[in-house]
Amino acid sequence: MKIGNIEVRSLTAGSLYLDGGAMFGVVPRTLWEKKLAPDDRNRIPLNMNVLLVKAGGKNILLDTGAGDKEDEKFADMYRLSRNHLEESLAEADLKPGDIDIVVNTHLHFDHAGGNTVRSGNGTIAPAFPNAKYLVQRIEYDAAVHPHVRNKASYFDYNYKPLFDEGRMELLSGEREIAPGVAVVPLPGHTKGLQGLMIESGGEKGLYLTDCVPTSHHVALPWIMGYDLYPMETLETKKRILPKLARENWIVFFEHDPVVKAARLDESKTMKFHVEPLET
C-alpha cells in the first residue's frame, strides 16, 4: 500500500506460538480463546509481521523476526516456523544487501533474532550487510544488562556484535530517519519500545509493535502479561489510540496472524473497532 507517496509493505518473517494467558494478561481465557484458539499446550498462533518502508531513496525494515539461529528445543518451545524474511524480501524484488536501515522496535528475540546470522563455523555476521541498525539507547542498555524478569527474551548475539562493529546506533526519543518517517517511543512493554510513524500527503500510519501486538489488543485492558510496565502500556494506549481513530491513521499489527493493517473506529469513548485493510 501507499501512505501518501511512501510505499509500505507488510512482510512475514515467520510465525510462532506463545502462551495465551501471557499474551492477554489479566483477560480471562474464556474471553481471549474466542479470539485466538490455543493449542494443547495453551499456545496461540502469532505472526512476525515486519514492515518494509521505501522513503527518501532508502529501504527501511522494521524488525527482523526470530531468525534461524536457535536450536530445535527452543524452536519446539515456541513452535517457531523457519525464517521467511529473505523470501518475503525477494517477493518485493529486494535482497538483504538492499536494506539501508533496520529499525528494531526493541531487542526481544522475536523482533531482533533476524538481525544476525550464524555461519557454519559459528561466526555471527549481520544479516543485512549494508544496513545501519537503530534502537533506543534505553532498550539497548536493558538488553545488555538483563534481569531475572526479562533475560529469557534477550540474546546478545542478536545485537551486541552489531554495536561492537559500529553498525548499531542508539537513539534517544523521537527521530526522523527519512523524509516522512520517524521512530516514536511507545513505552510499556519495555521502557525503550519504539514504533514507526509514517506521514505523507496528508496521510499517516503507525507501526504499533508490542504496544498493541494484535488487533485484539486495541481494547485498553487487553495488555500482555509479558509487558514489564503494564500501567505505562495503558497510558500509552490511552494517549495514542483515540488520536489514531479520530485522524483515520493506518495502523500495523506486528503479531496478528490475520490482520496486518487496519483503521480504527472509536464507536464509544475509548472503545475501538478494527477495520482491516488489504496489504
Side-chain angles (χ1 to χ4, degrees):
M1 63 170 60
K2 283 203 169 187
I3 296 177
N5 294 320
I6 297 176
E7 183 180 337
V8 181
R9 185 183 295 221
S10 183
L11 308 177
T12 180
S15 61
L16 77 166
Y17 280 61
L18 295 178
D19 184 84
M23 279 300 297
F24 291 105
V26 300
V27 177
R29 175 171 171 157
T30 53
L31 295 179
W32 63 252
E33 70 180 354
K34 297 174 184 177
K35 310 291 184 180
L36 290 170
D39 67 7
D40 58 359
R41 291 161 69 177
N42 204 49
R43 301 171 301 178
I44 58 172
L46 300 166
N47 269 18
M48 292 176 281
N49 301 320
V50 305
L51 202 67
L52 174 66
V53 179
K54 296 185 176 184
K58 302 290 186 182
N59 294 316
I60 303 167
L61 187 65
L62 269 291
D63 280 347
T64 60
D68 280 330
K69 298 190 297 297
E70 308 311 323
D71 60 24
E72 290 184 10
K73 180 179 179 181
F74 185 91
D76 175 69
M77 181 187 304
Y78 294 104
R79 201 169 161 181
L80 275 175
S81 72
R82 69 183 185 85
N83 183 20
H84 294 288
L85 187 49
E86 191 165 342
E87 294 173 8
S88 295
L89 286 171
E91 293 174 3
D93 297 320
L94 293 174
K95 302 183 294 296
D98 296 324
I99 299 300
D100 300 294
I101 300 172
V102 173
V103 175
N104 285 135
T105 62
H106 57 305
L107 294 173
H108 288 173
F109 73 84
D110 56 325
H111 296 258
N115 282 359
T116 59
V117 292
R118 180 183 283 118
S119 66
N121 63 7
T123 302
I124 298 293
F128 305 94
N130 299 315
K132 175 172 62 175
Y133 293 72
L134 305 178
V135 70
Q136 290 290 316
R137 179 179 297 277
I138 191 173
E139 175 66 18
Y140 185 80
D141 289 345
V144 297
H145 300 101
H147 51 70
V148 67
R149 179 78 164 80
N150 65 7
K151 67 180 182 179
S153 298
Y154 289 124
F155 306 146
D156 62 3
Y157 44 74
N158 291 333
Y159 43 84
K160 195 170 186 304
L162 300 171
F163 179 78
D164 292 344
E165 293 177 15
R167 294 177 176 271
M168 179 167 276
E169 181 179 351
L170 307 185
L171 309 179
S172 297
E174 187 169 336
R175 168 86 71 85
E176 185 176 59
I177 61 173
V181 180
V183 297
V184 292
L186 297 173
H189 180 61
T190 70
K191 281 286 187 184
L193 187 72
Q194 62 181 356
L196 193 81
M197 183 175 71
I198 304 160
E199 183 174 4
S200 175
E203 298 182 324
K204 295 181 181 180
L206 182 64
Y207 186 70
L208 289 164
T209 183
D210 275 0
C211 178
V212 185
T214 78
S215 59
H216 309 299
H217 288 82
V218 297
L220 294 182
W222 291 52
I223 293 172
M224 290 189 288
Y226 293 117
D227 285 16
L228 293 177
Y229 309 95
M231 292 308 296
E232 196 161 0
T233 298
L234 178 60
E235 291 306 312
T236 298
K237 290 172 71 173
K238 288 167 67 176
R239 172 173 57 85
I240 67 169
L241 292 180
K243 179 181 179 69
L244 300 179
R246 293 165 190 168
E247 297 182 5
N248 203 34
W249 290 43
I250 296 172
V251 297
F252 298 91
F253 301 111
E254 187 156 10
H255 283 309
D256 200 297
V258 177
V259 180
K260 294 182 177 182
R263 296 188 192 272
L264 304 180
D265 174 48
E266 189 179 15
S267 54
K268 298 178 182 178
T269 303
M270 294 291 186
K271 299 285 187 180
F272 303 98
H273 172 69
V274 175
E275 300 174 354
L277 299 174
E278 290 293 329
T279 57

